[in-house]
Amino acid sequence: MKRYQCDVLVAGGGGAGLMAAYGAALNNASVMVAIKGRAQRSGATVMAPGAISAVDDRWKKEGDSRELHFEDTMEGGRFVNDRDMVKVLCERSPELVLELERMGALFQREDDGASYSLRIDGGHSFPRCPFLEDRTGKEMLKAMAGALRKLHVPLCEEVMVTRILKRGGRVTGAVGVSAVTGEAVIFDCSTVIIAAGGAGMIYENSDNPTDLTGDSYGLALGAGAPLRDMEFVQFYPVGFLQPPSMKGIFAGLLYYSRLYNAAGERFMERYDPERLELSTRDRVSMAIAEEVRQGRGTPGGGVYMDMTYQEPGFIAKMTPALHSTYMNMGLDPEKDRIEVAPTVHHFMGGMVVDASWSSNVPGLFGAGEACGGMHGANRLSQNALAEIIVSGMTAGESAARYSANLPPSFADPAEAESEEHKVRALLSSEAGETPGEVREKLRKTMGENGGVFRSKESLEKALAHIAELKATPLRIRQKDTAMNRELIEALETENMLKTAEAVARSALAREESRGAHFREDFPEADDGRFMKNFYVAEGKDGLEVYSKSAGMKGASA
Amino acid sequence: MKGQVKILRFNPQTDAESRFQSFEFEFAPPMTVLDVLNLVRERFAPDLTYAGCCRNGHCGLCGAVVNGREALTCRQAAEPEMEIKPLAGVRVLKDLLIDREQYEARRPALRLFLERQRAPAFEPEKIDMEAFELFKKASRCIECMCCMSACPVVKKKPHIFAGPMPLTLLARHFFDPRDGMERALMAKDEGVGECIECGLCSSVCPRNADPAGLIRLMKKAAAGECG
Ligand SMILES: Cc1cc2nc3c(=O)[nH]c(=O)nc-3n(C[C@H](O)[C@H](O)[C@H](O)COP(=O)(O)OP(=O)(O)OC[C@H]3O[C@@H](n4cnc5c(N)ncnc54)[C@H](O)[C@@H]3O)c2cc1C
Ligand code: SF4
Ligand code: SF4
Ligand code: FES
């Protein structure tokens, strides 16, 4: 058993986690970061090609303003966002973009070498997003990891945080399991920031990396912090269906392709005859799902994306990165049609925090995709990369402030003992299903019943499946404690099931369609009944759902 | 169509030496090498150990030597006949999993962060666009270590020559026009002059970071400034 001491523990090492550690370190907390994977090599941030939304007088386009960024974000979120969080996002993001440059990043400039090149994307009124090449997320992480190493912030890599410990209602530490040794790790700390990202792995198709298994949500619920907005799961219309290792990965750009169903029809003609494939993402996703449901899908359960009509060499020239992806998996976009289906991209929901990123549990904070509220019912592109710097920095500052006057906190070593006991029990269990088998079932039922289309019936089916899976004992085939991936997968499975249940329960409660949440049995938005947010908390008999009003409709900063 | 894969296996708890183990699989493109590894793990060898997180060329964890050539297993089309070995020139922890701590230990000396005396007077500050291009190229590195496995000098002079990956990481700061450290001297200390300019590192680099090209430029500067 390993034991570490600090004031603030950050659980998760994506952009939000590293920025939170930076914020805490600058504010003189002793901080460390526990990462299930490795820094710069785990989580979604490292994969994000896009840009960081940020409006500032020093680079904004004429007519743009932070008020407009605020309004765009509220509009995208269908007005159920937390207004205070959105305000902080718009206010703080620009300064933190510059802070990233001070930490070592550089963003693309125009020929003069000084003014930022800016991107625009769906939902933003103006180009307002600095970026670098097609690897903005990576650039951010390089700067953050460098700055943390400069400040000697310990990165505790390949440790999965499994539980947050409390005494007298306050955080007193956390326990985890080392993915390398299989041993328990104990953190003595008065303060924890959850920044363990989203949960793409609960769905059959997702572009998320394999470590995003809803640990943020499982940890929060376990610590007594409720979640909100879990029904809002964002889909991107075209992810690969083949090969299995790339299932759900972003498969291409709709403006260079046509979509056909298995009957050879260019089906978008029926759903949006004017814009066809360039319709909104939500509509294209729904159209694809509808084709599959009507029996016109491909064998893999999707549709065909066709680029063969383009001039030879065009795809290679316009999308070099994607082109090499195709070729590297054995597909030639000039000859082969590609099987695609909607894929889970982002979780708008998450732990409930206020605009200082504090939860209701003293000593517990959150940052990044772990938290809900910022994006409401749907997220604008490029707002997530802004969110991770703003929420990270703010949570880091708040955590440092909270922990400053507290004496060192000690966790009960018996808690680590119980974690090791759990590991031993998992390793010795002979009956049941492997984590891989359970996941596959979960991901399938969430894809079919809790995906693009939802209804009372489908969601109840999903919940029944989840209950069955929860009752299924897990069996691990490999018995080593060290370097045992199946063991970590077993620990993750618990979080996946909890997250899936939170999504399904919230989706069942929202009897309307709003943003990314579409109920076939309630296809319209119902402002009268649902200008509110659904919350999920861990009760005596499992997860409980309740709601609160979302404040006023309309947008003004 | 049936495929055949030979994987070099090693478990430090039970094996005195590594050995090849063969598996048959259904070769059905599109299929990556990672698909084949996943299949083998799921069907035949639950203890088969290899790293990887992102499935799409970002995390740099999944490198291996496939049919004699370094590649990211997630971004390499499978072939019906394959031989898969761990990356060379680095300790193997288990099967295809390599020990990265060896290189982590070198990291602090490289001071891989921006070092400067003064903050800029105006932000965003003006950047030399030519240097920025090289900074960008070096920053594409995902630390996959494919180049380290391919480089002939790393094998011959493991202590004198840091190798193409650390030098590429250093190049980010070397070409950062804001950086105030003596990066050329650092490059010299890391043995940049030992590179024989064979270009193998660039030929296997999955992210077009062009380590060989960057090293050539740094080598010149190191020779000029410090030689
Ligand atoms: C493919 C892809 C492309 C995207 N592109 C864009 C874009 O262009 N623009 C944009 O704005 N947004 C984009 N997003 C969304 C955005 O990248 C994410 O919302 C954001 O990066 C989340 O950051 P995070 O730090 O909260 O979590 P992540 O970056 O996902 O990091 C989570 C971290 O937590 C660790 N972790 C998980 N569980 C545990 C545990 N139990 N204990 C300890 N550590 C744990 C993980 O290993 C990882 O280090 C994209 C997302 C994906 C998947
Ligand atoms: S060019 Fe230099 S660094 Fe690259 S492989 Fe050859 S010797 Fe090694
Ligand atoms: S330079 Fe290229 S091959 Fe070498 S570690 Fe970086 S990305 Fe990998
Ligand atoms: S799995 Fe991440 S680079 Fe291959």
Side-chain angles (χ1 to χ4, degrees), chain B residues 103 106 153-163 166-167 186-195:
Chain B
Y103 285 94
R106 288 192 95 131
V153 182
V154 167
K155 293 187 188 79
K156 269 200 223 133
K157 304 182 174 178
H159 291 283
I160 294 168
F161 184 53
L167 288 169
M186 292 174 75
K188 182 171 179 264
D189 280 349
E190 297 297 329
V192 72
E194 301 290 335
C195 163

Side-chain angles (χ1 to χ4, degrees), chain A residues 41 108 112 208 245 324 328, chain B residues 35 55 75 77 136 143:
Chain A
R41 296 168 177 282
Q108 188 59 47
D112 66 4
N208 284 194
S245 69
S324 82
N328 284 332
Chain B
D35 280 303
R55 321 177 270 147
R75 294 212 20 126
K136 280 198 269 189
E143 307 185 31

Side-chain angles (χ1 to χ4, degrees), chain A residues 400-423:
Chain A
R401 213 177 308 123
Y402 171 86
S403 65
N405 300 318
L406 293 176
S409 164
F410 293 100
D412 182 351
E415 301 277 7
E417 191 49 51
S418 89
E419 221 56 23
E420 285 190 344
H421 180 78
K422 185 164 159 190
V423 165

Side-chain angles (χ1 to χ4, degrees), chain A residues 38 40-43 46-47 58-59 98 101-102 104-114 116 132-133 135 138-139 142-143 146 149-150 201 206-211 242-247 249 321 324-325 328-331 477-478 480 483 485-486 489, chain B residues 11 13 30-32 34-35 38 41-42 46-47 49-61 74-77 93-94 97 100-101 104 107 112-115 122-127 129 132 135-136 139-144 169 172 176-178 207:
Chain A
R38 300 186 69 106
Q40 302 183 72
R41 296 168 177 282
S42 58
V46 71
M47 303 178 77
R58 287 165 281 191
W59 60 78
L98 293 174
E101 288 214 342
R102 290 172 211 132
L106 277 177
F107 298 108
Q108 188 59 47
R109 283 151 162 80
E110 297 295 307
D111 292 338
D112 66 4
Y116 280 153
L132 189 67
E133 299 195 298
R135 42 168 210 87
K138 229 172 257 148
E139 181 65 17
K142 276 194 193 262
R149 287 187 172 118
K150 194 172 185 175
M201 289 301 111
S206 171
D207 63 0
N208 284 194
T210 49
D211 58 340
Q242 294 286 343
S245 69
M246 295 193 70
K247 211 164 197 278
I249 296 275
S324 82
T325 305
N328 284 332
M329 55 199 244
L331 284 171
R477 296 169 300 168
Q478 184 197 346
D480 292 347
M483 288 174 278
R485 183 139 116 208
E486 224 173 20
E489 285 173 355
Chain B
N11 181 348
Q13 271 157 9
M31 184 174 216
T32 64
L34 178 61
D35 280 303
N38 288 342
R41 182 171 94 102
E42 210 38 61
D47 60 336
T49 306
Y50 49 95
C53 179
C54 70
R55 321 177 270 147
N56 192 23
H58 298 285
C59 72
L61 286 172
C74 71
R75 294 212 20 126
Q76 179 77 22
L93 289 174
K94 193 176 173 192
L97 189 69
R100 290 174 193 276
E101 296 309 325
E104 288 306 319
R107 195 191 287 273
L112 298 175
F113 33 75
L114 176 60
E115 295 269 28
F122 186 83
E123 292 174 309
E125 64 188 299
K126 191 170 161 64
I127 294 296
M129 292 301 272
F132 191 17
F135 168 94
K136 280 198 269 189
S139 303
R140 288 181 197 147
C141 175
I142 55 168
E143 307 185 31
C144 68
L169 296 175
R172 172 179 161 94
D176 186 338
R178 305 166 296 174
R207 302 299 308 192

Side-chain angles (χ1 to χ4, degrees), chain A residues 12-16 36-37 42-45 50 161 196 211 215 346 369 382 384-385 388:
Chain A
K36 188 165 69 178
S42 58
T45 312
V161 176
D211 58 340
D215 296 11
H346 185 88
E369 206 169 327
Q382 323 316 1
L385 291 185
I388 60 180

